[in-house]
Amino acid sequence: MQFPEYRPRRLRRNETLRRMIRETKLSVDDLIYPLFVAAGKNVRREVPSMPGVFNFSVENLVKEAREVRELGIPAVLLFGIPAKKDPLGKDAYSDRGIVQTAVRALKDAVPGLMVITDVCFCEYTDHGHCGILKNGDVDNDATLEILAKSAVTHARAGADIVAPSDMMDGRVAAIRRALDAEGFPQVPIMSYAAKYAGGFYGPFRDAADSTPSFGDRRSYQMDPPNAREALREVALDIQEGADIVMVKPALSYLDVICRVRDAFDLPVAAYNVSGEYSMVKAAAKLGWIDGDRVMMEILVSIKRAGADLILTYAAKEAARALGR
Ligand code: PBG
């Protein structure tokens, strides 16, 4: 059938019709909201490069998490900003660490909200790299041990899901083994399986104070031009025991999300990262784009590409727009 018999515009004539044949629907159930918890009391510091995103001390984090739950958002992803950083990032694997303390508070005060914890060292080390250093580079196998320890402390505090974001080889297996050995076989791993090194994490490093003091993350995070390698990374993480696999960033990597979706049957998450959020906010502030509209278009694009779950700083505004 072709023109003039077939006229695609027939089904675009009004919103009700468009609503009926819409192929992709974003739902509040798809959203995960990242939150930053900082040491101290009475902290509610807006991140300069991320309007609407804050560093919260524990008691304010609990208030924010209640609001998140009221909006119907099912889960938060927690990042910790410790009072003190050191070469080993010790706060990351202390039962009294900032994230562990925050998890206990959230599980106690906001039941029903899924608490996912980011497992990594860059927010905890004084050099800002994602693991232990040896000869100026991150030592993979030494880092595995403390990553596993860190994940166990999160689980012990009550974390519902752990999410390693360090990009060390073999970390999913190391974490799975440790969780099982310590009595947490029920805690799923959402692995940042295909995480690319690039420029989109800038504002996050402002928020988490985690810019590497020298060099960059290119010796452990992936090279942006590579897509086949992403499939190998995802396959490895699945073999090692990942329950949910993530692609990160999302917007510049929609092709990767799509290929991962086609090649594997596990739930796929995509991280709409800080730089993607800040670009929209900045352009909207300049009056160059309609920020609300563009944000929703980006989120639905990520879902259309194949993501089941979307980690986004826009989760609250999206939940409101979706009418909950
Ligand atoms: C920790 C981590 C980072 C992000 C999530 N987990 C920073 C990084 O890899 O430098 C970035 C999130 C964002 O930019 O929104 N490794």
Side-chain angles (χ1 to χ4, degrees):
M1 199 170 51
Q2 51 179 301
F3 182 81
E5 291 80 20
Y6 179 56
R7 289 174 182 268
R9 287 184 57 191
R10 273 185 207 125
L11 293 181
R12 292 179 203 146
R13 288 185 60 231
N14 62 55
E15 177 54 19
T16 310
L17 211 45
R18 289 192 293 271
R19 179 153 65 92
M20 289 167 64
I21 63 155
R22 195 155 285 152
E23 297 175 27
T24 305
K25 283 173 184 159
L26 190 67
S27 152
V28 70
D29 297 336
D30 308 330
L31 305 173
I32 299 172
Y33 189 51
L35 283 172
F36 298 94
V37 60
K41 280 232 151 52
N42 269 319
V43 182
R44 189 177 186 277
R45 208 166 37 231
E46 190 166 28
V47 181
S49 54
M50 301 178 74
V53 175
F54 295 81
N55 287 179
F56 293 110
S57 47
V58 173
E59 81 287 4
N60 286 332
L61 181 84
V62 166
K63 278 189 218 153
E64 179 76 1
R66 283 204 186 98
E67 195 186 321
V68 170
R69 187 185 57 183
E70 290 322 303
L71 286 165
I73 297 166
V76 295
L77 171 66
L78 261 194
F79 293 97
I81 306 150
K84 248 184 42 217
K85 304 187 186 223
D86 57 59
L88 297 178
K90 288 204 190 77
D91 196 88
Y93 50 97
S94 157
D95 283 312
R96 287 189 305 274
I98 180 66
V99 155
Q100 293 81 353
T101 307
V103 170
R104 282 191 295 269
L106 289 178
K107 292 314 297 177
D108 189 44
V110 201
L113 184 72
M114 288 282 109
V115 177
I116 308 172
T117 52
D118 186 85
V119 180
C120 192
F121 284 93
C122 61
E123 303 105 70
Y124 301 92
T125 52
D126 52 9
H127 46 72
H129 277 287
C130 299
I132 299 179
L133 293 183
K134 196 164 138 193
N135 305 325
D137 195 10
V138 178
D139 182 347
N140 194 89
D141 300 10
T143 301
L144 293 184
E145 235 170 273
I146 54 172
L147 277 169
K149 260 187 170 174
S150 175
V152 167
T153 60
H154 292 182
R156 201 180 286 135
D160 296 295
I161 300 178
V162 295
S165 69
D166 52 285
M167 287 300 277
M168 296 302 116
D169 295 331
R171 92 268 205 219
V172 173
I175 289 172
R176 185 71 274 159
R177 254 197 312 273
L179 288 174
D180 292 355
E182 297 296 323
F184 302 105
Q186 78 285 4
V187 173
I189 299 175
M190 175 167 81
S191 79
Y192 289 66
K195 175 174 177 180
Y196 288 87
F200 282 101
Y201 309 144
F204 172 94
R205 292 175 190 172
D206 246 12
D209 184 23
S210 64
T211 308
S213 60
F214 67 91
D216 53 43
R217 305 208 200 291
R218 278 184 278 197
S219 80
Y220 39 105
Q221 299 179 354
M222 285 179 57
D223 199 21
N226 296 357
R228 292 192 306 269
E229 189 189 354
L231 299 181
R232 293 201 295 278
E233 280 281 8
V234 171
L236 281 174
D237 281 12
I238 293 175
Q239 275 168 21
E240 291 179 26
D243 299 279
I244 301 173
V245 289
M246 192 201 298
V247 175
K248 175 187 175 188
L251 189 53
S252 287
Y253 298 84
L254 294 176
D255 58 323
V256 178
I257 296 172
C258 185
R259 289 169 73 161
V260 168
R261 167 72 300 152
D262 285 348
F264 303 98
D265 55 10
L266 253 55
V268 175
Y271 202 138
N272 177 219
V273 300
S274 58
E276 302 172 24
Y277 173 86
S278 299
M279 288 193 301
V280 175
K281 292 293 175 193
K285 197 165 160 189
L286 287 166
W288 291 353
I289 59 170
D290 176 342
D292 295 339
R293 185 172 175 189
V294 168
M295 199 68 92
M296 294 307 281
E297 190 175 333
I298 288 174
L299 295 178
V300 87
S301 308
I302 296 169
K303 177 137 191 211
R304 192 192 62 231
D308 302 292
L309 295 166
I310 305 172
L311 300 107
T312 179
Y313 303 98
K316 283 167 62 184
E317 39 194 293
R320 282 190 202 103
L322 291 167
R324 291 276 302 234

